[in-house]
Amino acid sequence: MIIYLQRCLWLFGLVLLQALVLNHVHIYGYATPVLYIYFILKCNSGMSRNELMGWGVTLGLLVDMFSNTPGVNASIATFLAFIRNPLLRMFTLRDLSESFEPSMKSMGEFSYIKYVCIAVFVHIVLLLLVDSFSLLHSFNLFLKIISDTVASVICILCVDAIRRNRKSGERL
């Protein structure tokens, strides 16, 4: 029960941070960090695909409600939840029957960073393609994809480093 309460707090915290702060950040008119997908990326590997997709739909719908983008984030977050386990299998040496939380410690630094980069890139590409629904300004779309991906990966790695430092500080 405590785990579900912690997940709900993380979910609502990330959604509020995304909706109230990060959706209004446009670095040089392009880079808008997408931090809410950190929730999907950090879920325990033992979580079933259906449960993860349920969390993804909920997360996406909450972001959609605050962002006035009906169904866009819900569909893309659900897709990310759907492909998360195959992505984990690509970048980890562990069998996914073992239950672990994806992190630099459990996967190794390079594998974890590749996992985050690929997942964020797929999410951003699909999100911007569905949102723009046109390839008319493909160069601007390409710049937005690259800048959003870089900004999102940096934010995710910073939040992960803060969580890791806080957990290691508690053990001492």
Side-chain angles (χ1 to χ4, degrees), residues 119-136:
V120 168
F121 180 75
V122 167
H123 181 81
I124 296 292
V125 166
L126 293 175
L127 183 67
L128 292 177
L129 284 176
V130 168
D131 190 39
S132 69
F133 204 65
S134 169
L135 295 175
L136 186 60

Side-chain angles (χ1 to χ4, degrees), residues 80-92:
L80 181 63
F82 181 76
I83 66 165
R84 204 262 334 227
N85 283 344
L87 282 175
L88 272 178
R89 270 189 233 107
M90 281 175 38
F91 297 113
T92 188

Side-chain angles (χ1 to χ4, degrees), residues 136-148:
L136 186 60
H137 303 286
S138 57
F139 183 72
N140 286 339
L141 183 64
F142 174 75
L143 287 177
K144 184 113 175 84
I145 288 171
I146 297 302
S147 62
D148 284 2

Side-chain angles (χ1 to χ4, degrees), residues 1-15:
M1 187 65 166
I2 300 270
I3 292 172
Y4 284 110
L5 182 60
Q6 288 175 340
R7 285 183 187 157
C8 287
L9 288 174
W10 265 102
L11 182 116
F12 288 118
L14 288 172
V15 166

